[in-house]
Amino acid sequence: MKKVYLDYAATTPADPQVIAAMEPYFFEKFGNASSLHAYGQEAKKALEDSREALAEFINAKPEEIVFTSGGTESDNSALLGAAYALEKKGNHIITSAIEHHAISEPAKFLEKKGFKLTYLPVDKDGLVACEDLKKALTDKTILVSVMHANNEIGTIQPIAQLAKIAREKGIYFHTDAVQTLGHIPADVEQLNVDLLSLSAHKFYGPKGVGALYIRKGTRLETFMRGGDQERGKRASTHNVSGIVGLAKAVQLCRKNMESEAKFQSALRDRLIKEIPARIPEVKLNGHPEIRLPNNVNFSIKYIEGESMLLSLDMLGIACSTGSACTSSSLEPSHVLLAIGLDHATAHGSLRITMGRWTTEADIDYLLEKLPGVAQKLRAMSPLYEKK
Ligand code: PLP
């Protein structure tokens, strides 16, 4: 059976060049980067070269990079770290209604601990408004966290404008760039952020490794205490092979990002045009233009996303409904509710995300199979019968 992977936002395959770069660090060059002997120094050199490569890619200084175990840890460290470092200054944090759970769950935790949280609304396309941020700021606000692009609907936020509003008042600004790094430019100076999270498995690197950019002078409380790795900011023996893989993935994205974005956005726009032409009563979710080059999200009315996923899976097509982390729950996605969809429409969402190995033929196959799946499921849908 033909197999078509269209779930790159959940995770990407590691590039074979990434795996080749990592391999020596499991056996020949297995040293602990904190050891003083030659084995350790060899690992340390690889670690610091990787840090430089990542720093250069996001226009940061190497000492502003802290390697972590991935996006979730970076997001938690930014939110909890800033909250506890600045609690004497204020207890108010602003975020958006459509953040990934890696932000919204620590935000809920902080609420339980007595912090005040404001969740900025988004418009029907998923955009946060600068005016809403201005109105939400108080003299107790210590941090604003708004994601660079949304993992479900792909909408890209006006981070530079939002960050300017916060930073002019001396308030830290964090962005979760897990879905953007390696796909569109994420330059910390242009974005004007104090903190930025990223994760290697979203840009053809290995799973379980990521980084947090911390602008020089930004105060964060550490919650991984132990050894003095990462200048005391994040204890634990370095995942040298993973970090080398992350850096190799960065190097490949630096080379390929522009051409890949161009190719993928052409496929995206083809789907945005052809799905509604082939299937009646569908709705594009997310901004029609200001969206990730590889993301398409449609609600196919009167159908449940889960049934659609399973039917497509039987045809060898892997997509997603909402984010991978929530697809096991039956609650409709908080992102789709936040852009104003009713529960039934939110339940019928299909996310198609493309990547380095997506071909025109993959999209042809999806476009050939999806209308039949929708028709079959609608024929069985009580919602469709009632309309
Ligand atoms: N933030 C966003 C926007 C994501 O899409 C994800 C993963 O899906 C994460 C954070 C969590 O990253 P990780 O899987 O590396 O922990």
Side-chain angles (χ1 to χ4, degrees):
M1 183 175 59
K2 189 171 166 66
K3 282 180 87 179
V4 174
Y5 184 75
L6 292 170
D7 199 12
Y8 279 81
T11 196
T12 61
D15 192 295
Q17 293 185 63
V18 165
I19 300 168
M22 290 172 70
E23 220 212 294
Y25 293 90
F26 290 101
F27 191 72
E28 295 154 63
K29 304 184 182 183
F30 63 90
N32 183 326
S34 303
S35 301
L36 291 179
H37 47 61
Y39 292 90
Q41 292 314 297
E42 187 176 45
K44 175 142 176 88
K45 165 122 185 26
L47 171 69
E48 295 313 326
D49 288 350
S50 302
R51 195 187 304 280
E52 258 177 51
L54 174 60
E56 207 181 320
F57 189 53
I58 63 169
N59 194 18
K61 298 182 192 77
E63 60 275 19
E64 294 175 317
I65 304 291
V66 170
F67 288 112
T68 65
S69 65
T72 302
E73 185 188 326
S74 299
D75 282 348
N76 272 256
S77 303
L79 215 70
L80 303 176
Y84 285 110
L86 302 178
E87 62 182 331
K88 289 206 174 73
K89 192 172 162 214
N91 67 347
H92 180 227
I93 294 172
I94 301 174
T95 182
S96 86
I98 61 165
E99 297 297 308
H100 188 273
H101 290 131
I103 286 291
S104 59
E105 286 300 318
K108 273 192 226 156
F109 170 79
L110 286 171
E111 262 180 318
K112 279 196 218 134
K113 297 286 165 195
F115 286 85
K116 300 266 176 285
L117 267 290
T118 299
Y119 298 90
L120 297 175
V122 291
D123 68 11
K124 64 174 192 6
D125 295 325
L127 282 171
V128 171
C130 289
E131 279 312 305
D132 287 333
L133 174 58
K134 279 187 201 156
K135 277 189 242 150
L137 293 174
T138 73
D139 57 358
K140 293 271 183 265
T141 312
I142 49 173
L143 174 72
V144 178
S145 178
V146 177
M147 71 202 312
H148 191 189
N150 184 267
N151 46 300
E152 293 185 40
I153 56 174
T155 301
I156 303 168
Q157 301 297 340
I159 295 301
Q161 289 95 303
L162 293 166
K164 186 164 181 275
I165 296 165
R167 295 193 72 225
E168 272 175 1
K169 294 199 165 357
I171 297 164
Y172 289 169
F173 195 97
H174 167 254
T175 195
D176 174 340
V178 168
Q179 288 293 336
T180 53
L181 202 102
H183 298 275
I184 59 169
D187 173 317
V188 294
E189 291 307 326
Q190 272 169 21
L191 293 173
N192 191 21
V193 294
D194 298 291
L195 298 154
L196 177 143
S197 304
L198 60 103
S199 178
H201 77 99
K202 306 288 188 180
F203 55 93
Y204 317 106
K207 294 175 183 52
V209 59
L212 178 64
Y213 157 76
I214 309 175
R215 186 179 287 275
K216 193 165 184 272
T218 307
R219 285 168 52 208
L220 280 198
E221 189 60 70
T222 303
F223 69 98
M224 285 281 276
R225 295 171 196 278
D228 69 351
Q229 290 90 355
E230 298 298 89
R231 298 167 313 286
K233 293 193 169 108
R234 198 266 185 188
S236 183
T237 300
H238 286 105
N239 172 6
V240 178
S241 57
I243 292 168
V244 166
L246 181 154
K248 184 68 189 179
V250 157
Q251 190 201 332
L252 296 174
C253 287
R254 160 171 277 202
K255 197 168 107 209
N256 301 324
M257 192 166 78
E258 223 178 284
S259 57
E260 286 181 353
K262 199 165 158 217
F263 181 66
Q264 287 162 26
S265 52
L267 297 180
R268 173 198 71 188
D269 294 343
R270 191 177 155 210
L271 286 172
I272 290 178
K273 197 164 145 233
E274 292 194 24
I275 289 179
R278 292 171 191 233
I279 308 171
E281 295 192 78
V282 298
K283 181 195 174 301
L284 177 70
N285 297 316
H287 197 285
E289 285 110 34
I290 312 171
R291 69 188 301 136
L292 286 168
N294 68 337
N295 170 294
V296 176
N297 187 315
F298 272 102
S299 282
I300 305 193
K301 289 192 184 160
Y302 318 113
I303 300 182
E304 269 198 350
E306 287 78 10
S307 333
M308 207 156 28
L309 271 201
L310 296 175
S311 303
L312 288 170
D313 193 37
M314 285 196 294
L315 297 164
I317 302 170
C319 297
S320 155
T321 177
S323 78
C325 317
T326 57
S327 61
S328 57
S329 97
L330 286 176
E331 273 295 291
S333 136
H334 65 291
V335 176
L336 299 176
L337 295 181
I339 60 171
L341 300 194
D342 57 57
H343 277 229
T345 312
H347 268 306
S349 85
L350 183 70
R351 180 185 72 176
I352 302 153
T353 48
M354 296 158 286
R356 186 163 291 165
W357 293 281
T358 307
T359 62
E360 201 70 59
D362 292 339
I363 301 305
D364 291 341
Y365 186 63
L366 174 73
L367 283 168
E368 180 198 321
K369 298 293 176 193
L370 187 59
V373 167
Q375 204 178 19
K376 194 178 103 210
L377 293 173
R378 276 181 177 168
M380 298 187 298
S381 162
L383 290 170
Y384 194 59
E385 254 175 35
K386 271 195 225 139
K387 90 177 178 92

